[in-house]
Amino acid sequence: SQTIHQWPATLVQPVGSPLSLECTVEGTSNPNLYWYRQAAGRGLQLLFYSVGIGQISSEVPQNLSASRPQDRQFILSSKKLLLSDSGFYLCAWIAGGITDTQYFGPGTRLTVL
Amino acid sequence: QKEVEQNSGPLSVPEGAIASLNCTYSDRGSQSFFWYRQYSGKSPELIMFIYSNGDKEDGRFTAQLNKASQYVSLLIRDSQPSDSATYLCAAPDTGRRALTFGSGTRLQVQP
């Protein structure tokens, strides 16, 4: 069966510090991978998606970036965090087929102080 | 950009009642729709999907799709306090190969 991991689970960082969040998927190959952010009390905002190694599409121009160095690894980064980067970061993957069902990882709670 | 709209709630129902959650979408080309449940502080979990007009039942949950009206709903029968959560509706945006989510409806089931 497929599983998706994210770490760290929680993170508290000062403004201006760098960020690296990691997501890995097990039990599948060549998945579509996604990074979402959910601000407190808000909906899901798609940040990046990737259909393959080295292929990244950005949805929101901001101080975040994403990379996919391996087939089942997706990394979200920032060189300098802003207060507005606080939120719940979710990695997701899509199982192929007609329904394209999307599954989420457990998430990383980021607080920028 | 494709849009999915939901009433943010909260929707409050007594235990044992039927909860009705609604969602509208803008893309007439959307073929499948998803309902996720999100407990506070947790990631969304899939409840069910539907891609044919009509009803689809799974236990206490029934999804209803009306493509002509661009309307999707989720009915929860015999609501339990454990059903209290935010319910997210989603539709595929084939152009971006991603799901577009509504902002979610918060459901409160009163014991």
Side-chain angles (χ1 to χ4, degrees):
Chain A
S1 64
Q2 301 89 355
T3 57
I4 182 168
H5 303 279
Q6 286 187 247
W7 62 90
T10 60
L11 192 59
V12 180
Q13 292 286 95
V15 169
S17 64
L19 174 73
S20 181
L21 303 181
E22 189 165 343
C23 168
T24 58
V25 181
E26 295 179 355
T28 186
S29 59
N30 197 30
N32 286 2
L33 296 172
Y34 306 83
W35 279 112
Y36 288 85
R37 178 172 63 197
Q38 188 175 39
R42 305 293 294 274
L44 292 168
Q45 179 187 30
L46 179 63
L47 301 176
F48 301 95
Y49 67 93
S50 171
V51 300
I53 296 174
Q55 301 179 62
I56 308 294
S57 296
S58 174
E59 288 295 307
V60 183
Q62 52 192 356
N63 66 319
L64 299 174
S65 62
S67 63
R68 186 169 176 176
Q70 300 180 40
D71 181 43
R72 290 171 288 177
Q73 184 184 31
F74 204 20
I75 297 172
L76 182 70
S77 303
S78 175
K79 292 181 179 178
K80 289 186 177 181
L81 284 168
L82 307 173
L83 286 174
S84 57
D85 291 324
S86 292
F88 193 35
Y89 286 81
L90 292 157
C91 181
W93 71 283
I94 276 189
I98 188 171
T99 60
D100 280 346
T101 304
Q102 189 166 308
Y103 297 95
F104 288 89
T108 295
R109 176 84 50 196
L110 172 66
T111 304
V112 182
L113 300 175
Chain B
Q1 183 167 333
K2 314 300 188 293
E3 292 185 349
V4 176
E5 302 285 343
Q6 294 181 258
N7 187 321
S8 62
L11 172 66
S12 185
V13 300
E15 184 174 356
I18 296 176
S20 178
L21 305 161
N22 305 314
C23 172
T24 59
Y25 59 94
S26 64
D27 183 8
R28 284 193 173 274
S30 293
Q31 296 297 312
S32 52
F33 302 88
F34 303 83
W35 282 101
Y36 288 82
R37 176 176 61 200
Q38 185 176 25
Y39 291 113
S40 181
K42 301 296 185 182
S43 63
E45 55 180 332
L46 180 71
I47 297 176
M48 60 191 309
F49 61 86
I50 184 169
Y51 55 86
S52 299
N53 265 334
D55 296 358
K56 179 182 178 182
E57 187 174 319
D58 184 0
R60 295 187 297 113
F61 298 96
T62 299
Q64 299 174 320
L65 173 59
N66 184 324
K67 291 187 178 181
S69 301
Q70 297 177 244
Y71 181 88
V72 187
S73 64
L74 179 70
L75 301 178
I76 306 175
R77 292 182 300 281
D78 188 23
S79 295
Q80 302 297 309
S82 58
D83 294 326
S84 298
T86 296
Y87 290 80
L88 302 167
C89 173
D93 181 343
T94 54
R96 298 189 300 167
R97 297 187 183 183
L99 291 182
T100 298
F101 285 84
S103 57
T105 298
R106 188 157 62 94
L107 173 66
Q108 296 176 339
V109 181
Q110 306 296 332

